């Protein structure tokens, strides 16, 4: 119940294309869904996050889509650039808990 | 900017050695975390601490212990290193519950990681 399942494990997209990474969860008590971005040799850093009271959040080329009934959320990267090549982690947390539950990670490669 | 530093970027130890990984944060955060990162398994929580001298087991605490004597410092200890503990170790901190908004309270800031090899 505490798991967050992320797919795909790896993804290759051409420059200018749309990258889509999906996550699914079971615990309906989760109420905060962040995405973290990790470049090689660095720790993960918060990219964008959403609360379940909205269905979509956009920041620049990055969009989170949230489907509460399906218990799924996804990250869309529009106009993907080589500089977006990184590992992406989805995560979830519920109020009262103080630890994030992370997905397995997606290694994204954007080909120039 | 929040800064989380880890004592070593790369570490090579022998089986059976006692290993200390140190983490320091400079933002007066309440919560600190230790994760290990392995390909295909994501970030798995080993231990976390929500206050000085307080700790809670995460998902994979076996073979590890932690120490938090000061608010800014959180140490991960491998009592007797084994080859299956070869991994990337990441430390993180978060503000913790309180007056800050929910999103601010739980955003985790990560260190650069320590790649530990046990031979």
């Amino acid at each position: 119940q505490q798991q967050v399942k992320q797919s795909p494990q790896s993804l290759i997209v051409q420059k200018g294309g749309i990258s889509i990474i999906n996550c699914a969860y079971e615990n309906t008590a989760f109420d905060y869904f962040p995405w973290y971005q990790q470049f090689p040799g660095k720790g993960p850093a918060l990219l964008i996050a959403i609360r379940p009271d909205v269905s979509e959040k956009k920041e620049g080329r990055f969009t989170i889509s949230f489907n509460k009934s399906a218990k799924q959320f996804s990250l869309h990267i529009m106009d993907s650039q080589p500089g977006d090549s990184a590992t992406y982690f989805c995560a979830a947390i519920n109020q009262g808990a103080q630890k994030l539950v992370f997905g397995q990670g997606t290694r994204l490669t954007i080909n120039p | 900017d929040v800064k989380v530093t880890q004592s070593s970027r790369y570490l090579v130890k022998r089986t059976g050695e006692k290993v200390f990984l140190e983490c320091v944060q400079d933002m007066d955060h309440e919560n600190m975390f230790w994760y290990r990162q392995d390909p295909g398994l994501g970030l798995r929580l080993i231990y976390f601490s929500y206050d000085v001298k307080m700790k809670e087991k995460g998902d994979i605490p076996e073979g590890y212990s932690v120490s938090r004597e000061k608010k800014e410092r959180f140490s991960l200890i491998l009592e007797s290193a084994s080859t299956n503990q070869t991994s990337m170790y990441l430390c993180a901190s978060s503000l913790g519950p309180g007056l800050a908004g929910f999103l601010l309270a739980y955003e985790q800031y990560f260190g650069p990681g320590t790649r530990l090899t046990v031979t």
Side-chain angles (χ1 to χ4, degrees):
Chain A
Q1 261 236 326
Q2 285 296 315
Q3 284 187 335
V4 176
K5 294 184 178 178
Q6 182 173 347
S7 62
Q9 191 169 346
S10 65
L11 180 63
I12 299 173
V13 175
Q14 292 299 119
K15 180 182 174 182
I18 302 174
S19 304
I20 302 174
I21 303 170
N22 300 299
C23 287
Y25 63 97
E26 289 295 325
N27 187 350
T28 55
F30 287 147
D31 59 0
Y32 170 56
F33 301 89
W35 285 88
Y36 281 76
Q37 179 187 53
Q38 183 184 29
F39 293 109
K42 306 279 188 183
L46 180 66
L47 178 65
I48 187 173
I50 196 168
R51 297 292 299 271
D53 51 349
V54 297
S55 60
E56 184 175 283
K57 182 173 182 180
K58 187 175 181 178
E59 288 184 3
R61 295 183 296 106
F62 299 89
T63 300
I64 301 178
S65 296
F66 188 83
N67 186 330
K68 190 173 182 178
S69 60
K71 292 184 284 187
Q72 295 175 347
F73 58 110
S74 59
L75 177 70
H76 293 66
I77 306 175
M78 311 300 288
D79 187 27
S80 299
Q81 299 296 312
D84 298 329
S85 297
T87 299
Y88 292 82
F89 294 97
C90 63
I93 192 172
N94 64 318
Q95 282 200 41
Q98 299 196 53
K99 50 181 180 175
L100 289 167
V101 179
F102 284 91
Q104 294 83 354
T106 297
R107 187 168 184 171
L108 175 65
T109 302
I110 307 300
N111 283 335
Chain B
D1 274 355
V2 176
K3 193 165 186 183
V4 179
T5 56
Q6 296 184 227
S7 51
S8 305
R9 292 301 302 271
Y10 301 93
L11 210 51
V12 180
K13 295 292 181 181
R14 294 197 180 275
T15 301
E17 277 193 83
K18 190 168 186 176
V19 181
F20 292 87
L21 302 182
E22 299 281 328
C23 175
V24 178
Q25 50 92 5
D26 67 357
M27 281 299 291
D28 202 34
H29 281 178
E30 299 290 333
N31 297 344
M32 296 188 75
F33 307 83
W34 275 107
Y35 295 90
R36 63 177 283 178
Q37 180 177 7
D38 300 287
L41 297 177
L43 300 170
R44 293 182 293 167
L45 182 65
I46 304 171
Y47 267 98
F48 77 101
S49 169
Y50 51 90
D51 201 351
V52 174
K53 296 189 186 292
M54 305 302 286
K55 60 185 179 185
E56 278 198 26
K57 293 180 180 179
D59 301 317
I60 51 164
E62 296 78 20
Y64 304 94
S65 62
V66 290
S67 173
R68 194 169 180 198
E69 297 296 319
K70 292 185 177 181
K71 190 175 186 179
E72 68 272 18
R73 189 178 298 268
F74 192 36
S75 303
L76 179 69
I77 303 153
L78 286 67
E79 295 290 342
S80 177
S82 63
T83 55
N84 64 11
Q85 293 179 310
T86 291
S87 187
M88 171 68 82
Y89 289 88
L90 289 161
C91 176
S93 71
S94 67
L95 185 61
L99 297 177
F102 182 73
L103 298 184
L104 187 64
Y106 293 108
E107 178 181 349
Q108 289 192 13
Y109 295 83
F110 284 83
T114 296
R115 184 163 292 284
L116 173 66
T117 301
V118 182
T119 60

